[in-house]
């Protein structure tokens, strides 16, 4: 029997049947709406699900004691002193969030051209890693590798004559990664987009005995306007000279993302990331389909700010927009999401059970 797709009844033996009908009807056999008729039916055919295991929670650390300072452009996000980072790590553990990511706000007096504070084994990130690991050894801690929170010019690398130096920067990034591994960090996440940094970091970690420290590379990271609020949070927005387009990717490109990801995998990345998230869902899908690697996506500060800001103004339902955006990443093929909504989303997921 041929399946009857939406051929209007009027086109067939219309007169007899039409007389029998009080309301106009299409004689459809295939009606996709049947599977959406109630919540239990929708649950049965649901293809993707967001769980707390999918979440990585980025946090901002600042010097001081027992203080939480709101980030104006990220409503609901605070800069935390180390003791408060530990409290939020506890909250993450209770919410079954597997991993947290740390970003420092470095005092301007500690920033210099070389980003030397990145190599200080007692910097805010290293202090936080040790404090978290002491109390909650079973939560994963991810540390960003890049110099921008530490440089006076706000760039991720070293500069000479106005140009970002690649290989010289990689040498410093390797030291930064080792400093963080020594503090007890579980995942090294190079976000700098220098060529060859994953391979150099992997080699140095292995040579120093950190064979189990994972690398999640920001493999396809685009030069994006959506990082604005993050730069406020780490205090590099005002100092950043120029832009990052000689190292971060051009948002027009897609094939190039595959080449970048392929290189990082070949150099030893355990997991790869696409960043930002929502404008780059096509990249997430291509990367996942092409490499079948653990693929992460970063819902960046600007994406967070748009949803949180609109919600604060009553323009959208913030909780629903948050969950829809996060599920969209899963649907696109992401295995996990770095998101400032992590705790809020985890609470919602737990409440739904
Ligand atoms: C630093 C870094 C950035 C982000 C993560 N690591 C900013 C940048 O590259 O300028 C952005 C995160 C966000 O916007 O939430 N290299």
């Amino acid at each position: 029997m041929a399946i009857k797709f939406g051929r209007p009844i009027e086109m067939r033996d219309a007169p007899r049947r039409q007389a029998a009908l009080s309301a106009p009807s299409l004689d459809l056999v295939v009606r996709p709406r049947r599977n959406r008729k109630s919540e239990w039916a929708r649950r049965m055919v649901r293809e993707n699900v967001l769980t707390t295991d999918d979440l990585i929670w980025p946090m901002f650390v600042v010097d001081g004691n027992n203080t939480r300072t709101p980030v104006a452009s990220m409503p609901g996000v605070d800069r935390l002193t180390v003791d408060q980072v530990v409290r939020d790590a506890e909250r993450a553990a209770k919410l079954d969030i597997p991993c947290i990511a740390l970003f420092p706000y470095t005092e301007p007096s500690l920033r210099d051209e070389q980003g030397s504070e990145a190599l200080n084994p007692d910097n805010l990130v290293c202090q936080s890693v040790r404090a978290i690991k002491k109390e909650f050894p079973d939560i994963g801690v991810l540390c960003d590798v890049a110099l921008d929170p530490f440089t006076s010019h706000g760039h991720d690398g070293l500069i000479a004559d106005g140009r970002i130096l690649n290989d010289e920067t990689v040498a410093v990034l390797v030291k930064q990664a080792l400093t963080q591994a020594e503090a007890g960090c579980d995942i090294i996440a190079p976000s700098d987009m220098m060529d060859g940094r994953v391979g150099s970091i992997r080699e140095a970690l292995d040579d120093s005995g950190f064979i189990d420290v994972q690398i999640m590379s920001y493999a396809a990271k685009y030069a994006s306007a959506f990082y604005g609020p993050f730069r406020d949070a780490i205090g590099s927005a005002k100092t950043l000279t120029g832009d990052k387009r000689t190292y971060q990717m051009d948002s027009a490109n897609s094939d190039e993302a595959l080449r970048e990801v392929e290189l990082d995998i070949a150099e030893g990345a355990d997991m790869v990331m696409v960043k930002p998230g929502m404008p780059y869902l096509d990249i997430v899908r291509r990367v996942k389909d092409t490499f079948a690697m653990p693929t992460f996506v970063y819902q960046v500060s600007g994406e967070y700010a748009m949803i949180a800001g609109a919600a604060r103004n009553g323009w959208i339902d913030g909780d629903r927009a948050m969950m829809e955006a996060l599920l969209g990443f899963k649907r696109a093929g992401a295995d996990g999401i770095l998101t400032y909504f992590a705790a809020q989303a985890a609470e919602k997921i737990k409440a739904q059970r």
Side-chain angles (χ1 to χ4, degrees):
M1 197 191 84
I3 297 170
K4 287 185 217 155
F5 289 105
R7 197 151 61 101
I9 190 171
E10 286 81 5
M11 291 165 65
R12 297 201 299 260
D13 52 346
R16 187 170 47 83
R17 290 210 211 173
Q18 210 164 26
L21 295 171
S22 53
S25 168
L26 309 176
D27 183 24
L28 301 180
V29 170
V30 178
R31 286 184 182 267
R33 286 185 55 194
R34 283 194 195 100
N35 285 344
R36 298 177 206 137
K37 67 183 178 186
S38 59
E39 182 55 19
W40 67 261
R42 290 189 293 270
R43 272 167 51 213
M44 251 173 82
V45 299
R46 193 157 285 155
E47 298 174 41
N48 292 285
V49 59
L50 180 74
T51 78
T52 58
D53 294 340
D54 300 319
L55 304 170
I56 299 176
W57 187 7
M59 297 178 190
F60 298 109
V61 200
V62 66
D63 197 20
N65 256 308
N66 196 22
T67 309
R68 309 177 75 102
T69 317
V71 179
S73 52
M74 299 179 73
V77 172
D78 297 330
R79 289 189 200 119
L80 313 171
T81 52
V82 174
D83 55 291
Q84 293 304 302
V85 168
V86 177
R87 296 298 35 102
D88 275 11
E90 177 175 28
R91 188 173 167 212
K94 285 193 174 136
L95 287 167
D96 290 323
I97 293 170
C99 186
I100 60 186
L102 298 171
F103 297 96
Y105 171 90
T106 309
E107 286 306 319
S109 62
L110 294 176
R111 297 180 197 223
D112 60 23
E113 290 266 313
Q114 283 78 39
S116 328
E117 179 66 6
L119 308 184
N120 174 3
D122 212 23
N123 68 22
L124 286 171
V125 168
C126 294
Q127 281 183 44
S128 302
V129 176
R130 283 193 295 268
I132 293 164
K133 283 288 162 183
K134 194 167 158 213
E135 277 200 58
F136 304 102
D138 295 332
I139 194 157
V141 179
L142 175 153
C143 293
D144 215 69
V145 168
L147 299 181
D148 56 320
F150 311 99
T151 49
S152 44
H153 44 71
H155 278 286
D156 295 28
L158 305 176
I159 304 184
D161 303 327
R163 302 179 67 176
I164 310 293
L165 305 172
N166 192 89
D167 300 11
E168 293 82 349
T169 298
V170 170
V172 181
L173 298 175
V174 164
K175 289 186 193 157
Q176 181 184 18
L178 286 173
T179 307
Q180 293 170 341
E182 267 150 27
C185 155
D186 300 292
I187 305 176
I188 294 291
S191 74
D192 54 283
M193 288 300 280
M194 296 301 123
D195 296 332
R197 87 281 205 216
V198 171
S200 297
I201 291 171
R202 181 73 270 162
E203 197 184 328
L205 288 172
D206 290 351
D207 287 350
S208 303
F210 295 114
I211 54 169
D212 284 335
V213 170
Q214 294 152 280
I215 296 179
M216 179 189 290
S217 74
Y218 288 70
K221 176 171 177 177
Y222 288 86
S224 173
F226 291 96
Y227 305 151
F230 172 96
R231 293 178 190 165
D232 285 340
I234 67 160
S236 72
K238 290 202 186 72
T239 49
L240 180 63
T241 48
D243 57 53
K244 301 191 177 183
R245 287 185 290 177
T246 69
Y247 45 109
Q248 299 179 348
M249 284 179 54
D250 186 332
S251 53
N253 297 351
S254 175
D255 289 344
E256 187 188 4
L258 299 188
R259 298 197 297 274
E260 281 283 5
V261 170
E262 187 172 24
L263 279 170
D264 285 5
I265 295 169
E267 289 176 31
D270 302 286
M271 299 169 272
V272 294
M273 192 205 298
V274 173
K275 176 187 176 184
M278 200 131 83
Y280 299 90
L281 292 179
D282 57 322
I283 308 298
V284 176
R285 171 51 65 196
R286 283 192 82 188
V287 166
K288 186 63 189 176
D289 286 350
T290 306
F291 301 104
M293 282 288 283
T295 303
F296 290 78
V297 61
Y298 201 139
Q299 182 188 48
V300 299
S301 56
E303 298 176 66
Y304 173 88
M306 288 194 297
I307 295 174
R312 293 245 157 159
N313 281 297
W315 297 334
I316 52 169
D317 179 330
D319 269 11
R320 287 184 54 203
M322 163 184 82
M323 295 306 274
E324 185 177 331
L326 295 175
L327 187 60
F329 295 127
K330 290 297 299 289
R331 198 190 60 244
D335 296 291
I337 307 144
L338 292 95
T339 173
Y340 303 98
F341 283 122
Q344 200 180 321
E347 263 155 21
K348 195 139 180 79
I349 291 165
K350 292 232 174 247
Q352 282 166 356
R353 288 224 192 100

